[in-house]
């Protein structure tokens, strides 16, 4: 799994010009099952996207499709992690242990 944290690097007015396209981008990847959760940071300085497992190179390619990336209005940090403990409702994301 991955956590994508992006931080706005331009003014709110420049971000807002790309907001509709960014939301369409998110919807596309939610529909494909790659994105699991997203939302803006508080205060509004960027956002977070929780991503299901895939290859990092594939994720980086997907991130380059983001209108915020294309418009150069945000910087991105990608953190990969392996869930080792989850709430019951999220247990589908915990890897199975093999001996």
């Amino acid at each position: 799994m991955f956590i994508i944290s992006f931080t706005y690097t331009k003014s709110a007015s420049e971000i807002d010009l790309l907001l509709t396209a960014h939301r369409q981008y998110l919807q596309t990847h939610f529909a494909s099952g790659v994105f699991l959760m997203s939302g803006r940071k508080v205060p509004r300085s960027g956002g977070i996207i929780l991503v299901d497992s895939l290859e990092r190179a594939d994720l980086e390619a997907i991130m380059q499709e983001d209108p915020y990336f294309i418009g150069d209005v945000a910087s991105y940090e990608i953190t990969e992690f392996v869930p080792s403990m989850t709430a019951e409702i999220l247990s589908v994301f915990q890897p199975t242990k093999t001996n």
Side-chain angles (χ1 to χ4, degrees), residues 1-2 34 36 51-55:
M1 295 187 79
F2 296 91
V34 172
L36 301 175
V51 180
D52 200 359
S53 297
L54 71 161
E55 295 295 321

Side-chain angles (χ1 to χ4, degrees), residues 5-35:
S5 176
F6 60 92
T7 303
Y8 300 139
T9 58
K10 303 290 171 113
S11 69
S13 61
E14 291 175 272
I15 300 300
D16 289 344
L17 289 173
L18 298 170
L19 183 58
T20 298
H22 174 71
R23 286 183 176 158
Q24 290 171 342
Y25 158 82
L26 292 172
Q27 289 173 346
T28 296
H29 293 290
F30 273 107
S32 72
V34 172
F35 291 176

Side-chain angles (χ1 to χ4, degrees), residues 52-64:
D52 200 359
S53 297
L54 71 161
E55 295 295 321
R56 186 180 183 102
D58 294 335
L59 176 58
E60 289 172 352
I62 288 170
M63 294 312 304
Q64 291 177 12

Side-chain angles (χ1 to χ4, degrees), residues 42-88:
V42 177
R44 188 180 177 208
S45 61
I48 301 289
I49 304 171
L50 185 61
V51 180
D52 200 359
S53 297
L54 71 161
E55 295 295 321
R56 186 180 183 102
D58 294 335
L59 176 58
E60 289 172 352
I62 288 170
M63 294 312 304
Q64 291 177 12
E65 300 170 1
D66 185 352
Y68 287 170
F69 182 91
I70 295 167
D72 194 30
V73 300
S75 62
Y76 294 80
E77 179 181 351
I78 299 173
T79 304
E80 184 173 5
F81 74 103
V82 177
S84 58
M85 189 179 289
T86 62
E88 175 106 15

